[in-house]
Amino acid sequence: MTIAKQTVLKSFAAVVHDHGRCVTTALAKAETACATAGKRLTPLRRRVLELVWGSHLPVKAYDLLAILGREREQAAPPTVYRALDFLQQVGLVHRIASLNAFVGCGEPLQGHVSQFLICTQCGTVAELANLGLSTSISASAEALGFQATRQTIEVEGICKHCRKRGAQAVQ
Amino acid sequence: MTIAKQTVLKSFAAVVHDHGRCVTTALAKAETACATAGKRLTPLRRRVLELVWGSHLPVKAYDLLAILGREREQAAPPTVYRALDFLQQVGLVHRIASLNAFVGCGEPLQGHVSQFLICTQCGTVAELANLGLSTSISASAEALGFQATRQTIEVEGICKHCRKRGAQAVQ
DNA sequence: CCACTAAGGTTACTCAATAACAAATTGTTG
DNA sequence: CAACAATTTGTTATTGAGTAACCTTAGTGG
Ligand SMILES: [Zn+2]
Ligand SMILES: [Zn+2]
Ligand SMILES: [Zn+2]
Ligand SMILES: [Zn+2]
């Protein structure tokens, strides 16, 4: 079976990189995406998105809540869940079902299929947009008379950085 | 891309079928699986497995808890979660991450990859064991230097029965 | 019978998510 | 601008998911 051409939307970032750039880019794209969709990126929603992009690690809802609570004096679960729901609808963040956590989407401007690679060592999540893979899965379902409308594809394993590190010295 | 040969481990059952047979078979296989693995299928574990097999729908942990509570006078979350953990380890049930729910495994006797088709209309879950698909996903990951160890593949959509029903009369 | 291990009971807690209703903010329209 | 509608956020409270820690009970082997 051939490996389909795939786009890496959010790769395993080098351990050290200019992450400020990641955040800036993500927020700029978010503005555009919301404007295009006719949705409002309010300060709260923008801040939550910024926090999600705080790293390339998946973020838990209650961690966001704790940070917001320090910043705003008033923050309850609905505060963060509503923002996250909105961001998901616009396609700015994805929810990782197997982790109950959220990650920013690297390419929110067009709808796309997505698959996630989750490193169990460093926790980093990479997002793929392998259309061939997605199509293959849908085809497998269709062969059974099942019409697929949504896919949850989450793969756990060890990322290339951690493999390299592991080869040098098992800590 | 060709569709790999796939085994349907737990198909979309006809609306009416002899489900008692499903349960009996599942419990018999469970006895064998536990005996082989040198694990004990205690009355509690057996009962939880039986409840999971109550239908072809995914079952929530707290629903199991409620039923057990009626039957046993004493049942707390650990009661059901410990049983479910055990059943998962032996491979007798699978957890559906996108639903926070559990389904019985139709073919627990040998280890296998699995994918799940979830009908959003009737709620039924079918389990596939499409090795080609699984291999294809691992290969996509490997192409990025990622060594996959576990896959969560859950597809939502409409099953063949519901499609047929829908064509006759949109209720 | 005694020591050891596995299984289950019990209490209590943290985290995940949503319901329902009130207040405030924003957008629209005469 | 004033009045109204729609959206967003605040607030309170609850349900559901899952786990930690500790204790008791039940099997197992000598
Ligand atoms: Zn970055
Ligand atoms: Zn890693
Ligand atoms: Zn059945
Ligand atoms: Zn169906």
Side-chain angles (χ1 to χ4, degrees), chain B residues 9-11 19 22 26 48-59 84 87-88 91-96 101-108 112 114 116 125-128:
Chain B
L9 294 187
K10 191 181 172 192
S11 86
H19 187 63
C22 297
V48 169
L49 180 60
E50 196 179 4
L51 289 174
V52 168
W53 274 99
S55 74
H56 291 272
L57 302 177
V59 181
L84 287 171
L87 294 171
Q88 277 181 271
L92 297 169
V93 308
H94 296 292
R95 197 183 106 91
I96 310 294
F102 302 82
V103 291
C105 175
E107 198 53 65
H112 60 83
S114 55
F116 298 96
V125 170
E127 178 181 0
L128 309 186

Side-chain angles (χ1 to χ4, degrees), chain B residues 60 62 77-78 81 95 100:
Chain B
K60 312 280 275 182
Y62 272 62
Y81 281 107
R95 197 183 106 91
N100 289 343

Side-chain angles (χ1 to χ4, degrees), chain B:
Chain B
M1 187 172 286
T2 52
I3 300 170
K5 179 173 173 296
Q6 60 188 326
T7 309
V8 183
L9 294 187
K10 191 181 172 192
S11 86
F12 289 103
V15 181
V16 176
H17 70 286
D18 182 4
H19 187 63
R21 239 182 100 86
C22 297
V23 179
T24 308
T25 306
L27 289 177
K29 284 185 179 175
E31 295 284 1
T32 306
C34 286
T36 303
K39 302 286 181 67
R40 292 170 49 204
L41 187 62
T42 63
L44 174 62
R45 291 166 174 174
R46 192 188 155 87
R47 178 63 183 140
V48 169
L49 180 60
E50 196 179 4
L51 289 174
V52 168
W53 274 99
S55 74
H56 291 272
L57 302 177
V59 181
K60 312 280 275 182
Y62 272 62
D63 291 343
L64 293 173
L65 183 54
I67 298 173
L68 286 178
R70 260 173 266 135
E71 296 179 349
R72 301 170 58 94
E73 196 70 35
Q74 76 280 57
T79 308
V80 62
Y81 281 107
R82 280 198 282 238
L84 287 171
D85 285 347
F86 171 84
L87 294 171
Q88 277 181 271
Q89 274 171 33
V90 184
L92 297 169
V93 308
H94 296 292
R95 197 183 106 91
I96 310 294
S98 62
L99 298 178
N100 289 343
F102 302 82
V103 291
C105 175
E107 198 53 65
L109 296 181
Q110 72 266 17
H112 60 83
V113 301
S114 55
Q115 301 96 28
F116 298 96
L117 305 183
I118 306 164
C119 179
T120 52
Q121 187 116 13
C122 65
T124 302
V125 170
E127 178 181 0
L128 309 186
N130 189 326
L131 185 57
L133 200 52
S134 175
T135 303
S136 176
I137 290 171
S138 291
S140 287
E142 187 64 46
L144 300 170
F146 187 92
Q147 182 168 31
T149 55
R150 221 169 60 101
Q151 299 183 356
T152 299
I153 315 293
E154 296 168 11
V155 181
E156 283 185 9
I158 308 290
C159 80
K160 63 178 175 184
H161 300 304
C162 288
R163 279 170 95 173
K164 203 172 292 179
R165 254 194 303 277
Q168 289 172 356
V170 179
Q171 57 187 10

